[in-house]
Amino acid sequence: MRRQHHVNTGHRSGQRSNTPAPVMLNNFIGNNAQGTPNDNHIAISDSGIIVSVANTNIKMYNDTGLQLYSKSLSAFANVLGVLQSVSDPRIVYDPATDRFILIFFSGVASTTSKVVVGFSKTNNPTGAWNFYKLSGNYLSDTTWSDYPIVTISDHDLFVTFNQLHDSLDWQTGFKYSIIWQIDKSTGYNGDTLLFNYWHNIEYNGRPVWNICPIRGGSGPTGPETYLLSVRPHDISNDTVFLHTISNSVLSGNAQLSTKVLTTNVP
């Protein structure tokens, strides 16, 4: 069943909107940016706990703005040991389990690149977490992981990265994009992570880039999951790629397929 919702957003056919003006009910000083770019990201739980990450730190607030927790990302995940060049944090709230998932990377070279993944053990993110350190150079090919994009399905966590050559910038150094598909339950339980690592994602012999996982609008969906990407660096582009991962990690039979969608104008 599809429900249609209509919102009056302004003038139409000479009629004036009756929508009331927005009113500020509450405000407070939020997280400070540290470094360039800000790399800020935010997630809010059903109980109103706000988790904010900005480049190298993590801060937590209640819904009145009271700060509950503040640490650098390297100190927050210090159980993993010394983390170098920490950046690009992403935070996700999982309403199906009432928990948080944190992702960031450490290192900017193939010899040091790590992907840090944290799962809160309860719905209280100021408490204990399970942390994991994955290789940012999983194929051992002198690349490192940059620019994470994150979503969740009902069973899995999806994190995509662009793999970059050493000593080159994010444009000229781009080599290919990859997808980590990680079973959420193993992370929440503190067990050895179960995952699929998807690579060789190409069209006509060229890699796609900036693969964007799509999250369900009203909450996590699945087990089938969709992702979108484009061709890298093309000034004129008429192609969007729709990637489908057919099933969960635990199913043991997930498949990745790609459909080419062509626009009628570049």
PDB file of all heavy atoms in Angstrom, residues 211-247:
ATOM      1  N   ILE A 211      30.691   5.130  -4.896  1.00  0.00           N
ATOM      2  CA  ILE A 211      29.516   4.277  -4.790  1.00  0.00           C
ATOM      3  C   ILE A 211      28.718   4.688  -3.551  1.00  0.00           C
ATOM      4  O   ILE A 211      29.234   4.697  -2.436  1.00  0.00           O
ATOM      5  CB  ILE A 211      29.919   2.798  -4.691  1.00  0.00           C
ATOM      6  CG1 ILE A 211      30.716   2.387  -5.935  1.00  0.00           C
ATOM      7  CG2 ILE A 211      28.689   1.912  -4.534  1.00  0.00           C
ATOM      8  CD1 ILE A 211      31.252   0.969  -5.869  1.00  0.00           C
ATOM      9  N   CYS A 212      27.454   5.033  -3.758  1.00  0.00           N
ATOM     10  CA  CYS A 212      26.604   5.566  -2.683  1.00  0.00           C
ATOM     11  C   CYS A 212      25.545   4.541  -2.294  1.00  0.00           C
ATOM     12  O   CYS A 212      24.592   4.313  -3.054  1.00  0.00           O
ATOM     13  CB  CYS A 212      25.917   6.858  -3.126  1.00  0.00           C
ATOM     14  SG  CYS A 212      27.056   8.187  -3.557  1.00  0.00           S
ATOM     15  N   PRO A 213      25.677   3.909  -1.128  1.00  0.00           N
ATOM     16  CA  PRO A 213      24.637   2.975  -0.681  1.00  0.00           C
ATOM     17  C   PRO A 213      23.352   3.714  -0.315  1.00  0.00           C
ATOM     18  O   PRO A 213      23.390   4.804   0.243  1.00  0.00           O
ATOM     19  CB  PRO A 213      25.260   2.293   0.531  1.00  0.00           C
ATOM     20  CG  PRO A 213      26.420   3.138   0.936  1.00  0.00           C
ATOM     21  CD  PRO A 213      26.795   4.008  -0.196  1.00  0.00           C
ATOM     22  N   ILE A 214      22.225   3.110  -0.645  1.00  0.00           N
ATOM     23  CA  ILE A 214      20.922   3.743  -0.454  1.00  0.00           C
ATOM     24  C   ILE A 214      20.234   3.132   0.762  1.00  0.00           C
ATOM     25  O   ILE A 214      20.119   1.903   0.868  1.00  0.00           O
ATOM     26  CB  ILE A 214      20.027   3.561  -1.700  1.00  0.00           C
ATOM     27  CG1 ILE A 214      20.783   4.020  -2.959  1.00  0.00           C
ATOM     28  CG2 ILE A 214      18.725   4.323  -1.533  1.00  0.00           C
ATOM     29  CD1 ILE A 214      21.283   5.444  -2.909  1.00  0.00           C
ATOM     30  N   ARG A 215      19.757   3.991   1.659  1.00  0.00           N
ATOM     31  CA  ARG A 215      19.089   3.535   2.867  1.00  0.00           C
ATOM     32  C   ARG A 215      17.574   3.669   2.713  1.00  0.00           C
ATOM     33  O   ARG A 215      17.081   4.595   2.064  1.00  0.00           O
ATOM     34  CB  ARG A 215      19.548   4.357   4.070  1.00  0.00           C
ATOM     35  CG  ARG A 215      18.991   3.864   5.401  1.00  0.00           C
ATOM     36  CD  ARG A 215      19.642   4.585   6.556  1.00  0.00           C
ATOM     37  NE  ARG A 215      19.149   4.102   7.844  1.00  0.00           N
ATOM     38  CZ  ARG A 215      19.640   4.486   9.023  1.00  0.00           C
ATOM     39  NH1 ARG A 215      20.641   5.340   9.067  1.00  0.00           N
ATOM     40  NH2 ARG A 215      19.132   4.006  10.145  1.00  0.00           N
ATOM     41  N   GLY A 216      16.836   2.747   3.318  1.00  0.00           N
ATOM     42  CA  GLY A 216      15.380   2.823   3.281  1.00  0.00           C
ATOM     43  C   GLY A 216      14.875   4.110   3.897  1.00  0.00           C
ATOM     44  O   GLY A 216      15.417   4.582   4.902  1.00  0.00           O
ATOM     45  N   GLY A 217      13.834   4.684   3.323  1.00  0.00           N
ATOM     46  CA  GLY A 217      13.362   5.987   3.776  1.00  0.00           C
ATOM     47  C   GLY A 217      12.806   5.987   5.186  1.00  0.00           C
ATOM     48  O   GLY A 217      13.058   6.912   5.963  1.00  0.00           O
ATOM     49  N   SER A 218      12.043   4.974   5.561  1.00  0.00           N
ATOM     50  CA  SER A 218      11.432   4.933   6.887  1.00  0.00           C
ATOM     51  C   SER A 218      12.205   4.052   7.854  1.00  0.00           C
ATOM     52  O   SER A 218      11.813   3.909   9.012  1.00  0.00           O
ATOM     53  CB  SER A 218       9.987   4.429   6.776  1.00  0.00           C
ATOM     54  OG  SER A 218       9.952   3.148   6.190  1.00  0.00           O
ATOM     55  N   GLY A 219      13.308   3.472   7.397  1.00  0.00           N
ATOM     56  CA  GLY A 219      14.103   2.595   8.242  1.00  0.00           C
ATOM     57  C   GLY A 219      14.845   1.587   7.401  1.00  0.00           C
ATOM     58  O   GLY A 219      14.674   1.525   6.173  1.00  0.00           O
ATOM     59  N   PRO A 220      15.694   0.772   8.014  1.00  0.00           N
ATOM     60  CA  PRO A 220      16.465  -0.222   7.262  1.00  0.00           C
ATOM     61  C   PRO A 220      15.556  -1.202   6.527  1.00  0.00           C
ATOM     62  O   PRO A 220      14.532  -1.624   7.049  1.00  0.00           O
ATOM     63  CB  PRO A 220      17.290  -0.929   8.340  1.00  0.00           C
ATOM     64  CG  PRO A 220      17.342   0.026   9.481  1.00  0.00           C
ATOM     65  CD  PRO A 220      16.043   0.765   9.450  1.00  0.00           C
ATOM     66  N   THR A 221      15.934  -1.533   5.307  1.00  0.00           N
ATOM     67  CA  THR A 221      15.210  -2.513   4.509  1.00  0.00           C
ATOM     68  C   THR A 221      16.172  -3.642   4.151  1.00  0.00           C
ATOM     69  O   THR A 221      17.324  -3.643   4.537  1.00  0.00           O
ATOM     70  CB  THR A 221      14.642  -1.880   3.237  1.00  0.00           C
ATOM     71  OG1 THR A 221      15.721  -1.315   2.478  1.00  0.00           O
ATOM     72  CG2 THR A 221      13.646  -0.783   3.579  1.00  0.00           C
ATOM     73  N   GLY A 222      15.698  -4.599   3.403  1.00  0.00           N
ATOM     74  CA  GLY A 222      16.586  -5.675   2.973  1.00  0.00           C
ATOM     75  C   GLY A 222      15.856  -7.002   2.922  1.00  0.00           C
ATOM     76  O   GLY A 222      14.647  -7.056   3.113  1.00  0.00           O
ATOM     77  N   PRO A 223      16.601  -8.072   2.673  1.00  0.00           N
ATOM     78  CA  PRO A 223      18.062  -8.107   2.607  1.00  0.00           C
ATOM     79  C   PRO A 223      18.656  -7.533   1.327  1.00  0.00           C
ATOM     80  O   PRO A 223      19.849  -7.272   1.271  1.00  0.00           O
ATOM     81  CB  PRO A 223      18.371  -9.601   2.716  1.00  0.00           C
ATOM     82  CG  PRO A 223      17.170 -10.272   2.127  1.00  0.00           C
ATOM     83  CD  PRO A 223      16.010  -9.415   2.525  1.00  0.00           C
ATOM     84  N   GLU A 224      17.855  -7.351   0.272  1.00  0.00           N
ATOM     85  CA  GLU A 224      18.376  -6.756  -0.957  1.00  0.00           C
ATOM     86  C   GLU A 224      18.721  -5.292  -0.717  1.00  0.00           C
ATOM     87  O   GLU A 224      17.948  -4.550  -0.114  1.00  0.00           O
ATOM     88  CB  GLU A 224      17.332  -6.887  -2.067  1.00  0.00           C
ATOM     89  CG  GLU A 224      17.837  -6.543  -3.443  1.00  0.00           C
ATOM     90  CD  GLU A 224      16.800  -6.846  -4.506  1.00  0.00           C
ATOM     91  OE1 GLU A 224      15.691  -6.283  -4.416  1.00  0.00           O
ATOM     92  OE2 GLU A 224      17.093  -7.645  -5.416  1.00  0.00           O
ATOM     93  N   THR A 225      19.894  -4.862  -1.188  1.00  0.00           N
ATOM     94  CA  THR A 225      20.367  -3.502  -0.962  1.00  0.00           C
ATOM     95  C   THR A 225      20.825  -2.889  -2.278  1.00  0.00           C
ATOM     96  O   THR A 225      21.431  -3.564  -3.116  1.00  0.00           O
ATOM     97  CB  THR A 225      21.531  -3.494   0.054  1.00  0.00           C
ATOM     98  OG1 THR A 225      21.057  -4.009   1.301  1.00  0.00           O
ATOM     99  CG2 THR A 225      22.072  -2.091   0.266  1.00  0.00           C
ATOM    100  N   TYR A 226      20.543  -1.587  -2.442  1.00  0.00           N
ATOM    101  CA  TYR A 226      20.863  -0.881  -3.678  1.00  0.00           C
ATOM    102  C   TYR A 226      21.929   0.184  -3.433  1.00  0.00           C
ATOM    103  O   TYR A 226      22.006   0.785  -2.355  1.00  0.00           O
ATOM    104  CB  TYR A 226      19.615  -0.219  -4.256  1.00  0.00           C
ATOM    105  CG  TYR A 226      18.496  -1.190  -4.544  1.00  0.00           C
ATOM    106  CD1 TYR A 226      17.460  -1.377  -3.630  1.00  0.00           C
ATOM    107  CD2 TYR A 226      18.488  -1.931  -5.717  1.00  0.00           C
ATOM    108  CE1 TYR A 226      16.437  -2.287  -3.885  1.00  0.00           C
ATOM    109  CE2 TYR A 226      17.470  -2.835  -5.986  1.00  0.00           C
ATOM    110  CZ  TYR A 226      16.442  -2.997  -5.057  1.00  0.00           C
ATOM    111  OH  TYR A 226      15.440  -3.896  -5.310  1.00  0.00           O
ATOM    112  N   LEU A 227      22.744   0.424  -4.474  1.00  0.00           N
ATOM    113  CA  LEU A 227      23.784   1.438  -4.427  1.00  0.00           C
ATOM    114  C   LEU A 227      23.835   2.133  -5.789  1.00  0.00           C
ATOM    115  O   LEU A 227      23.495   1.523  -6.818  1.00  0.00           O
ATOM    116  CB  LEU A 227      25.151   0.832  -4.103  1.00  0.00           C
ATOM    117  CG  LEU A 227      25.227  -0.115  -2.887  1.00  0.00           C
ATOM    118  CD1 LEU A 227      25.027  -1.568  -3.296  1.00  0.00           C
ATOM    119  CD2 LEU A 227      26.561   0.038  -2.171  1.00  0.00           C
ATOM    120  N   LEU A 228      24.287   3.379  -5.799  1.00  0.00           N
ATOM    121  CA  LEU A 228      24.401   4.148  -7.036  1.00  0.00           C
ATOM    122  C   LEU A 228      25.825   4.638  -7.221  1.00  0.00           C
ATOM    123  O   LEU A 228      26.517   4.953  -6.247  1.00  0.00           O
ATOM    124  CB  LEU A 228      23.452   5.350  -7.030  1.00  0.00           C
ATOM    125  CG  LEU A 228      21.952   5.071  -7.020  1.00  0.00           C
ATOM    126  CD1 LEU A 228      21.171   6.373  -6.842  1.00  0.00           C
ATOM    127  CD2 LEU A 228      21.525   4.374  -8.313  1.00  0.00           C
ATOM    128  N   SER A 229      26.267   4.740  -8.482  1.00  0.00           N
ATOM    129  CA  SER A 229      27.573   5.314  -8.773  1.00  0.00           C
ATOM    130  C   SER A 229      27.567   5.907 -10.178  1.00  0.00           C
ATOM    131  O   SER A 229      26.583   5.782 -10.913  1.00  0.00           O
ATOM    132  CB  SER A 229      28.678   4.259  -8.656  1.00  0.00           C
ATOM    133  OG  SER A 229      28.548   3.284  -9.680  1.00  0.00           O
ATOM    134  N   VAL A 230      28.692   6.558 -10.527  1.00  0.00           N
ATOM    135  CA  VAL A 230      28.846   7.159 -11.849  1.00  0.00           C
ATOM    136  C   VAL A 230      30.232   6.830 -12.387  1.00  0.00           C
ATOM    137  O   VAL A 230      31.066   6.256 -11.701  1.00  0.00           O
ATOM    138  CB  VAL A 230      28.661   8.696 -11.798  1.00  0.00           C
ATOM    139  CG1 VAL A 230      27.229   9.055 -11.420  1.00  0.00           C
ATOM    140  CG2 VAL A 230      29.643   9.325 -10.815  1.00  0.00           C
ATOM    141  N   ARG A 231      30.489   7.242 -13.636  1.00  0.00           N
ATOM    142  CA  ARG A 231      31.832   7.111 -14.194  1.00  0.00           C
ATOM    143  C   ARG A 231      32.730   8.195 -13.605  1.00  0.00           C
ATOM    144  O   ARG A 231      32.284   9.315 -13.357  1.00  0.00           O
ATOM    145  CB  ARG A 231      31.789   7.265 -15.721  1.00  0.00           C
ATOM    146  CG  ARG A 231      30.961   6.216 -16.435  1.00  0.00           C
ATOM    147  CD  ARG A 231      31.287   6.193 -17.930  1.00  0.00           C
ATOM    148  NE  ARG A 231      31.108   7.481 -18.553  1.00  0.00           N
ATOM    149  CZ  ARG A 231      30.093   7.792 -19.362  1.00  0.00           C
ATOM    150  NH1 ARG A 231      29.150   6.904 -19.605  1.00  0.00           N
ATOM    151  NH2 ARG A 231      30.029   8.966 -19.927  1.00  0.00           N
ATOM    152  N   PRO A 232      34.000   7.895 -13.374  1.00  0.00           N
ATOM    153  CA  PRO A 232      34.883   8.901 -12.779  1.00  0.00           C
ATOM    154  C   PRO A 232      35.342   9.957 -13.760  1.00  0.00           C
ATOM    155  O   PRO A 232      35.679   9.659 -14.909  1.00  0.00           O
ATOM    156  CB  PRO A 232      36.074   8.061 -12.289  1.00  0.00           C
ATOM    157  CG  PRO A 232      36.104   6.885 -13.190  1.00  0.00           C
ATOM    158  CD  PRO A 232      34.664   6.588 -13.532  1.00  0.00           C
ATOM    159  N   HIS A 233      35.335  11.212 -13.295  1.00  0.00           N
ATOM    160  CA  HIS A 233      36.028  12.327 -13.956  1.00  0.00           C
ATOM    161  C   HIS A 233      35.453  12.749 -15.305  1.00  0.00           C
ATOM    162  O   HIS A 233      36.047  13.589 -15.975  1.00  0.00           O
ATOM    163  CB  HIS A 233      37.521  12.024 -14.146  1.00  0.00           C
ATOM    164  CG  HIS A 233      38.217  11.589 -12.899  1.00  0.00           C
ATOM    165  ND1 HIS A 233      38.107  12.268 -11.711  1.00  0.00           N
ATOM    166  CD2 HIS A 233      39.032  10.521 -12.646  1.00  0.00           C
ATOM    167  CE1 HIS A 233      38.836  11.664 -10.791  1.00  0.00           C
ATOM    168  NE2 HIS A 233      39.387  10.593 -11.318  1.00  0.00           N
ATOM    169  N   ASP A 234      34.330  12.190 -15.748  1.00  0.00           N
ATOM    170  CA  ASP A 234      33.803  12.584 -17.052  1.00  0.00           C
ATOM    171  C   ASP A 234      33.153  13.959 -16.963  1.00  0.00           C
ATOM    172  O   ASP A 234      32.258  14.186 -16.145  1.00  0.00           O
ATOM    173  CB  ASP A 234      32.777  11.557 -17.550  1.00  0.00           C
ATOM    174  CG  ASP A 234      33.419  10.255 -17.998  1.00  0.00           C
ATOM    175  OD1 ASP A 234      34.648  10.258 -18.154  1.00  0.00           O
ATOM    176  OD2 ASP A 234      32.704   9.274 -18.190  1.00  0.00           O
ATOM    177  N   ILE A 235      33.573  14.889 -17.812  1.00  0.00           N
ATOM    178  CA  ILE A 235      32.997  16.229 -17.814  1.00  0.00           C
ATOM    179  C   ILE A 235      31.549  16.175 -18.282  1.00  0.00           C
ATOM    180  O   ILE A 235      30.675  16.841 -17.734  1.00  0.00           O
ATOM    181  CB  ILE A 235      33.836  17.157 -18.719  1.00  0.00           C
ATOM    182  CG1 ILE A 235      35.242  17.327 -18.129  1.00  0.00           C
ATOM    183  CG2 ILE A 235      33.157  18.512 -18.881  1.00  0.00           C
ATOM    184  CD1 ILE A 235      36.175  18.125 -19.005  1.00  0.00           C
ATOM    185  N   SER A 236      31.273  15.367 -19.291  1.00  0.00           N
ATOM    186  CA  SER A 236      29.907  15.153 -19.758  1.00  0.00           C
ATOM    187  C   SER A 236      29.558  13.694 -19.502  1.00  0.00           C
ATOM    188  O   SER A 236      30.289  12.794 -19.910  1.00  0.00           O
ATOM    189  CB  SER A 236      29.797  15.477 -21.250  1.00  0.00           C
ATOM    190  OG  SER A 236      28.472  15.276 -21.707  1.00  0.00           O
ATOM    191  N   ASN A 237      28.430  13.453 -18.816  1.00  0.00           N
ATOM    192  CA  ASN A 237      28.106  12.104 -18.366  1.00  0.00           C
ATOM    193  C   ASN A 237      26.615  11.846 -18.539  1.00  0.00           C
ATOM    194  O   ASN A 237      25.791  12.689 -18.177  1.00  0.00           O
ATOM    195  CB  ASN A 237      28.503  11.956 -16.891  1.00  0.00           C
ATOM    196  CG  ASN A 237      28.637  10.500 -16.472  1.00  0.00           C
ATOM    197  OD1 ASN A 237      28.043   9.616 -17.065  1.00  0.00           O
ATOM    198  ND2 ASN A 237      29.410  10.263 -15.431  1.00  0.00           N
ATOM    199  N   ASP A 238      26.255  10.724 -19.116  1.00  0.00           N
ATOM    200  CA  ASP A 238      24.845  10.372 -19.279  1.00  0.00           C
ATOM    201  C   ASP A 238      24.530   9.035 -18.634  1.00  0.00           C
ATOM    202  O   ASP A 238      23.525   8.403 -18.938  1.00  0.00           O
ATOM    203  CB  ASP A 238      24.464  10.336 -20.764  1.00  0.00           C
ATOM    204  CG  ASP A 238      25.207   9.248 -21.535  1.00  0.00           C
ATOM    205  OD1 ASP A 238      26.080   8.588 -20.934  1.00  0.00           O
ATOM    206  OD2 ASP A 238      24.918   9.066 -22.722  1.00  0.00           O
ATOM    207  N   THR A 239      25.400   8.586 -17.712  1.00  0.00           N
ATOM    208  CA  THR A 239      25.276   7.236 -17.179  1.00  0.00           C
ATOM    209  C   THR A 239      25.253   7.238 -15.656  1.00  0.00           C
ATOM    210  O   THR A 239      26.085   7.875 -15.013  1.00  0.00           O
ATOM    211  CB  THR A 239      26.456   6.360 -17.653  1.00  0.00           C
ATOM    212  OG1 THR A 239      26.534   6.413 -19.077  1.00  0.00           O
ATOM    213  CG2 THR A 239      26.265   4.920 -17.205  1.00  0.00           C
ATOM    214  N   VAL A 240      24.287   6.508 -15.094  1.00  0.00           N
ATOM    215  CA  VAL A 240      24.242   6.214 -13.667  1.00  0.00           C
ATOM    216  C   VAL A 240      24.194   4.696 -13.531  1.00  0.00           C
ATOM    217  O   VAL A 240      23.492   4.024 -14.289  1.00  0.00           O
ATOM    218  CB  VAL A 240      23.010   6.855 -13.000  1.00  0.00           C
ATOM    219  CG1 VAL A 240      22.927   6.444 -11.529  1.00  0.00           C
ATOM    220  CG2 VAL A 240      23.063   8.370 -13.119  1.00  0.00           C
ATOM    221  N   PHE A 241      24.942   4.169 -12.581  1.00  0.00           N
ATOM    222  CA  PHE A 241      24.973   2.723 -12.372  1.00  0.00           C
ATOM    223  C   PHE A 241      24.176   2.367 -11.128  1.00  0.00           C
ATOM    224  O   PHE A 241      24.389   2.938 -10.056  1.00  0.00           O
ATOM    225  CB  PHE A 241      26.414   2.242 -12.218  1.00  0.00           C
ATOM    226  CG  PHE A 241      27.283   2.567 -13.392  1.00  0.00           C
ATOM    227  CD1 PHE A 241      28.195   3.601 -13.317  1.00  0.00           C
ATOM    228  CD2 PHE A 241      27.179   1.854 -14.574  1.00  0.00           C
ATOM    229  CE1 PHE A 241      28.998   3.916 -14.397  1.00  0.00           C
ATOM    230  CE2 PHE A 241      27.969   2.165 -15.667  1.00  0.00           C
ATOM    231  CZ  PHE A 241      28.889   3.200 -15.575  1.00  0.00           C
ATOM    232  N   LEU A 242      23.250   1.436 -11.278  1.00  0.00           N
ATOM    233  CA  LEU A 242      22.470   0.920 -10.162  1.00  0.00           C
ATOM    234  C   LEU A 242      23.027  -0.452  -9.794  1.00  0.00           C
ATOM    235  O   LEU A 242      22.927  -1.415 -10.558  1.00  0.00           O
ATOM    236  CB  LEU A 242      20.992   0.802 -10.537  1.00  0.00           C
ATOM    237  CG  LEU A 242      20.090   0.127  -9.501  1.00  0.00           C
ATOM    238  CD1 LEU A 242      20.061   0.927  -8.204  1.00  0.00           C
ATOM    239  CD2 LEU A 242      18.676  -0.054 -10.054  1.00  0.00           C
ATOM    240  N   HIS A 243      23.655  -0.529  -8.613  1.00  0.00           N
ATOM    241  CA  HIS A 243      24.224  -1.779  -8.130  1.00  0.00           C
ATOM    242  C   HIS A 243      23.244  -2.423  -7.148  1.00  0.00           C
ATOM    243  O   HIS A 243      22.665  -1.736  -6.302  1.00  0.00           O
ATOM    244  CB  HIS A 243      25.556  -1.534  -7.433  1.00  0.00           C
ATOM    245  CG  HIS A 243      26.510  -0.689  -8.217  1.00  0.00           C
ATOM    246  ND1 HIS A 243      27.215  -1.165  -9.303  1.00  0.00           N
ATOM    247  CD2 HIS A 243      26.865   0.621  -8.074  1.00  0.00           C
ATOM    248  CE1 HIS A 243      27.974  -0.202  -9.791  1.00  0.00           C
ATOM    249  NE2 HIS A 243      27.783   0.894  -9.064  1.00  0.00           N
ATOM    250  N   THR A 244      23.090  -3.718  -7.237  1.00  0.00           N
ATOM    251  CA  THR A 244      22.215  -4.465  -6.339  1.00  0.00           C
ATOM    252  C   THR A 244      23.001  -5.589  -5.689  1.00  0.00           C
ATOM    253  O   THR A 244      23.643  -6.387  -6.386  1.00  0.00           O
ATOM    254  CB  THR A 244      21.017  -5.056  -7.097  1.00  0.00           C
ATOM    255  OG1 THR A 244      20.305  -4.016  -7.764  1.00  0.00           O
ATOM    256  CG2 THR A 244      20.081  -5.766  -6.130  1.00  0.00           C
ATOM    257  N   ILE A 245      22.991  -5.630  -4.362  1.00  0.00           N
ATOM    258  CA  ILE A 245      23.519  -6.776  -3.622  1.00  0.00           C
ATOM    259  C   ILE A 245      22.317  -7.575  -3.151  1.00  0.00           C
ATOM    260  O   ILE A 245      21.474  -7.084  -2.404  1.00  0.00           O
ATOM    261  CB  ILE A 245      24.408  -6.338  -2.459  1.00  0.00           C
ATOM    262  CG1 ILE A 245      25.646  -5.614  -3.009  1.00  0.00           C
ATOM    263  CG2 ILE A 245      24.816  -7.531  -1.606  1.00  0.00           C
ATOM    264  CD1 ILE A 245      26.578  -5.072  -1.956  1.00  0.00           C
ATOM    265  N   SER A 246      22.215  -8.795  -3.598  1.00  0.00           N
ATOM    266  CA  SER A 246      20.956  -9.530  -3.565  1.00  0.00           C
ATOM    267  C   SER A 246      20.563 -10.047  -2.193  1.00  0.00           C
ATOM    268  O   SER A 246      19.381 -10.288  -1.934  1.00  0.00           O
ATOM    269  CB  SER A 246      21.018 -10.708  -4.538  1.00  0.00           C
ATOM    270  OG  SER A 246      22.049 -11.619  -4.141  1.00  0.00           O
ATOM    271  N   ASN A 247      21.538 -10.228  -1.273  1.00  0.00           N
ATOM    272  CA  ASN A 247      21.192 -10.878  -0.021  1.00  0.00           C
ATOM    273  C   ASN A 247      22.196 -10.495   1.065  1.00  0.00           C
ATOM    274  O   ASN A 247      23.154  -9.769   0.817  1.00  0.00           O
ATOM    275  CB  ASN A 247      21.150 -12.403  -0.194  1.00  0.00           C
ATOM    276  CG  ASN A 247      20.068 -13.056   0.638  1.00  0.00           C
ATOM    277  OD1 ASN A 247      19.776 -12.597   1.747  1.00  0.00           O
ATOM    278  ND2 ASN A 247      19.483 -14.126   0.139  1.00  0.00           N
TER     279      ASN A 247
END
